[in-house]
Amino acid sequence: MDTLSASNSTAGACDPVTLEIVRGAIRAAQAEMEALIERTAISAFIREKKDFYTALFDADGVMAVGSNLPVFGDICGPVFRDFPPETMREGDLYWYNDCYGSRGAISHSNDQVLVAPVFHDGRRCGFVMGWAHFSDIGGMRAGSISPDTLDIFQEGIIVPPTKLIDAGVTNEATLRIFFRNSRFPAQNMGDMRALMASTALGVKRIEEIVARFGADIVADALSQLVARTRKLVRTKLAETFDYGTHKFTDAIDSDGHGNGPFHLRLALTREKTEGGDDKFVFDATATDDQSPGPVNLLLNPDVPGTALSMFYLGGDPAQVCNAGGPQALDEVRLREGSLLWPKWPAPLGMRGLTLMRFLAAVNGLINVAGGKAPAAHSAYVISFMRGTYRTLEGKLEPFLMSDGIGVGWGARASADGTDAVYFVAQENYPVEFLEVGYPVRLRTYGILTDSCGAGRWRGGCGIVREYDILAEEAMLAVRIDSVKNPPWGMAGGMAGGTGRVLVNPDTNHERHLQPLSDGNMLKRGDILRIETGGGGGYGHPFDRPPASVLDDVLGGFVTAGAAKELYGVAIDSDEIDPDLTRRLRAKRPDVKAFHRHGYVDSLST
């Protein structure tokens, strides 16, 4: 280990008050980095969708403060293997997008990560990271993601850990190679400059914090933040999971090549060590084999602990997402050749679909142990429209519309699920932006009524979007899951609704597209309708207060027919019929622990 590392700081150097000040200062620096990316990036997926993140690591590369996103693995480790920390200098910047080389720290090739060391008075004090999804990096199809891919080489250029800036001198030749592999190089140029500026800002802000408080105090503060998260998560794990093995199974529908469903089989074991301490083992080795199509998820071993910690942290502003979550698990077992640890060079581009189902399965694992996690959510919907449009001057120009659309999230044990959410802090494209930036016109954009899973607490609703196609021609790729295996309801709650894609709906030329497919041709004048799924409900639907059901009906979330059939609430002329409601609710149906197509005690398969 580097003798200049801050890991040898004096124990207890940072008092509790200073710890909170340092934590707040670092979170402020992190937020400033993200604001810079948002305001200076070029591509819509970063600027409008907010598909970017930042993080701070200690001097040894341990994540101390990160974004609330449960997908990060060991970000610094891949860099350290090729560039030992003790060889790094002030002004260096490192870059990669290599999924397999990073063991899933980056889980599909569109995601570019930059890592920069922070020095103060010649001492290495930490690292900062900037991470963002680039819209096109080459590959088989524009957008670099397609259900049609069969290996990772078809998903764009692969960048191993590379020194992009050497002591302040940028390797412009390397950047030119990267930009040359894109169909839309100007976007990548702008996005890379925004990401580089963000990391430079992060280095400056963290160096200022170290200069203010001292390297030893900051190092101890970061160590305390990690230890605090680890202790909290292990305490919560012990409260949730009794001794023994707890199991849960969920499934994704397809890989886009006619294969599936694919089952994710998770287990968590709590046992005693010889020394009498608790040992927590996460095991996903029983998961189905990897798929030929691009729904494989290279699950970095840090991700299960991070996913568990996100539930236990529960949005507490006093806590931070960091390496303490992964450290709370003593062992993570994955099987090479499985859907969650595929062999090179299996395609990974659609791994977000499997990630979302994995996160729901973690909730299921908590629930079977009695932990009251939310019901299942849908996987956010992705579409890629590629084609040509005619400018005002009559010239044909290529375009790429990479879009992500929100879905309904699962109800919680004490609250409804959230409606129309893409993923964490990311956003749906506004109508005005879509119509100005792309050859489409929005006919409809709103809540998809009755897509929410019924329950004492209803699931979140999905979205309906209907587009007029103004392009001369376009090829559409779409990713929708949870159609055959809808998001499960919990504790009597019902499953969420499913999504679908139609072309020219309600006409003689109506077409239903496969939910995971590419090569769907559109032409000027077509109408494209995308409906996204909802989240599962929580608790018996007949326990939902009639007034809440009425509010759902008046708000357009639930129809009067569904209110009567699923909730036992009769609504006539926007008012509750109390007598009929009492008669309906007297015939209370029996329920079981989970619901998917019907009520079952277990979803294990």
Side-chain angles (χ1 to χ4, degrees):
M1 185 177 295
D2 183 3
T3 56
L4 294 179
S5 170
S7 60
N8 296 321
S9 60
T10 304
C14 184
D15 62 79
V17 173
T18 304
L19 175 64
E20 295 308 310
I21 296 172
V22 171
R23 179 185 63 81
I26 291 172
R27 287 302 296 264
Q30 181 187 24
E32 190 177 2
M33 290 173 66
E34 293 185 342
L36 179 58
I37 296 173
E38 178 183 349
R39 293 170 184 170
T40 60
I42 300 299
S43 66
F45 225 77
I46 299 177
R47 191 180 71 252
E48 298 291 335
K49 183 62 65 182
K50 313 293 191 291
D51 200 345
F52 57 82
Y53 300 94
T54 61
L56 168 76
F57 306 82
D58 71 10
D60 297 316
V62 177
M63 188 169 73
V65 179
S67 298
N68 293 330
L69 185 74
V71 297
F72 287 133
D74 175 14
I75 292 290
C76 293
V79 175
F80 293 171
R81 284 195 294 272
D82 293 337
F83 302 95
E86 59 270 18
T87 67
M88 295 179 178
R89 298 183 294 172
E90 196 168 347
D92 286 352
L93 181 67
Y94 301 87
W95 167 35
Y96 68 88
N97 77 337
D98 189 339
C99 303
Y100 285 93
S102 68
R103 300 176 72 237
I106 294 297
S107 53
H108 74 172
S109 299
N110 291 73
D111 296 337
Q112 312 300 311
V113 62
L114 301 183
V115 176
V118 180
F119 289 85
H120 178 68
D121 290 338
R123 172 177 175 173
R124 193 180 73 250
C125 301
F127 294 86
V128 297
M129 177 203 76
W131 176 103
H133 176 106
F134 281 45
S135 291
D136 182 84
I137 58 166
M140 181 180 187
R141 297 265 170 81
S144 311
I145 298 175
S146 169
D148 288 348
T149 59
L150 290 168
D151 64 48
I152 196 168
F153 296 107
Q154 295 175 324
E155 296 175 344
I157 187 170
I158 299 171
V159 181
T162 300
K163 184 183 283 190
L164 182 56
I165 300 181
D166 187 356
V169 179
T170 302
N171 188 337
E172 298 289 350
T174 298
L175 285 175
R176 285 197 296 273
I177 294 171
F178 179 67
F179 299 148
R180 182 64 172 167
N181 277 270
S182 175
R183 299 169 180 86
F184 300 91
Q187 284 191 5
N188 282 0
M189 290 178 189
D191 292 344
M192 183 61 78
R193 297 303 179 189
L195 207 55
M196 292 167 69
S198 174
T199 54
L201 176 63
V203 167
K204 179 180 179 181
R205 291 291 182 259
I206 301 306
E207 197 279 333
E208 291 170 351
I209 293 170
V210 173
R212 176 183 175 187
F213 294 99
D216 287 338
I217 288 178
V218 171
D220 188 64
L222 300 182
S223 177
Q224 286 191 49
L225 289 174
V226 172
R228 185 165 74 181
T229 299
R230 179 183 183 275
K231 180 179 179 181
L232 183 149
V233 175
R234 284 186 68 85
T235 298
K236 294 293 186 180
L237 285 171
E239 292 174 355
T240 302
F241 293 91
D242 201 355
Y243 291 101
T245 299
H246 309 263
K247 297 181 179 181
F248 189 81
T249 298
D250 212 333
I252 63 172
D253 294 343
S254 170
D255 69 343
H257 292 263
N259 307 296
F262 296 89
H263 292 89
L264 289 72
R265 299 182 179 90
L266 310 184
L268 195 145
T269 299
R270 180 187 178 191
E271 58 190 19
K272 284 282 189 183
T273 65
E274 291 183 0
D277 296 325
D278 279 341
K279 181 179 181 180
F280 296 99
V281 179
F282 184 93
D283 191 325
T285 56
T287 291
D288 283 351
D289 290 345
Q290 69 188 62
S291 82
V295 296
N296 301 291
L297 170 61
L298 196 61
L299 188 75
N300 187 274
D302 282 0
V303 171
T306 304
L308 286 163
S309 72
M310 294 312 299
F311 169 70
Y312 289 126
L313 295 177
D316 183 351
Q319 305 296 333
V320 292
C321 174
N322 59 32
Q327 290 177 9
L329 293 175
D330 298 284
E331 186 179 353
V332 173
R333 298 173 183 169
L334 302 168
R335 178 175 61 86
E336 188 178 19
S338 73
L339 189 72
L340 298 180
W341 194 253
K343 294 179 180 178
W344 165 272
L348 308 171
M350 293 281 180
R351 92 309 182 217
L353 180 157
T354 306
L355 171 64
M356 298 304 289
R357 193 55 35 217
F358 171 80
L359 297 178
V362 170
N363 283 347
L365 194 60
I366 294 169
N367 278 325
V368 297
K372 295 185 178 180
H377 50 267
S378 290
Y380 56 90
V381 171
I382 294 290
S383 68
F384 294 90
M385 192 183 299
R386 328 167 184 97
T388 58
Y389 72 99
R390 196 169 297 280
T391 67
L392 294 176
E393 294 77 22
K395 183 180 179 182
L396 285 177
E397 292 284 352
F399 77 95
L400 167 64
M401 188 178 86
S402 304
D403 196 3
I405 309 177
V407 294
W409 282 63
R412 294 153 283 181
S414 58
D416 292 342
T418 48
D419 304 299
V421 172
Y422 178 70
F423 186 35
V424 191
Q426 296 161 341
E427 300 176 3
N428 301 304
Y429 286 157
V431 172
E432 296 83 357
F433 169 77
L434 274 174
E435 294 187 343
V436 169
Y438 301 105
V440 297
R441 180 183 298 114
L442 267 291
R443 298 164 59 95
T444 302
Y445 176 37
I447 290 293
L448 182 62
T449 306
D450 284 342
S451 57
C452 48
R456 164 62 185 89
W457 303 103
R458 68 165 177 84
C461 282
I463 288 174
V464 56
R465 260 187 169 166
E466 203 167 79
Y467 311 76
D468 278 330
I469 304 302
L470 305 181
E472 295 303 311
E473 61 178 8
M475 177 189 289
L476 178 73
V478 64
R479 188 197 80 189
I480 294 181
D481 190 59
S482 304
V483 177
K484 297 178 181 177
N485 298 278
W488 40 267
M490 180 67 201
M494 302 184 74
T498 59
R500 61 178 184 165
V501 184
L502 297 90
V503 178
N504 298 320
D506 304 320
T507 71
N508 294 332
H509 305 289
E510 180 177 288
R511 285 189 287 151
H512 286 248
L513 304 185
Q514 289 297 311
L516 185 60
S517 61
D518 204 340
N520 302 295
M521 300 307 299
L522 304 173
K523 64 181 184 301
R524 186 179 181 89
D526 281 343
I527 298 169
L528 172 67
R529 181 182 178 92
I530 298 179
E531 299 175 357
T532 73
Y538 201 113
H540 200 300
F542 278 31
D543 290 335
R544 188 166 180 83
S548 297
V549 178
L550 176 62
D551 287 342
D552 289 338
V553 171
L554 296 179
F557 299 94
V558 176
T559 60
K564 183 177 181 179
E565 178 183 356
L566 303 179
Y567 293 91
V569 176
I571 296 174
D572 183 29
S573 301
D574 295 340
E575 292 185 357
I576 297 170
D577 182 331
D579 293 333
L580 182 52
T581 296
R582 278 193 295 271
R583 293 197 298 273
L584 290 170
R585 289 198 159 186
K587 302 175 183 179
R588 182 184 178 95
D590 293 332
V591 298
K592 295 184 178 180
F594 296 96
H595 182 273
R596 172 182 277 163
H597 303 302
Y599 284 108
V600 294
D601 293 317
S602 172
L603 290 175
S604 298
T605 301

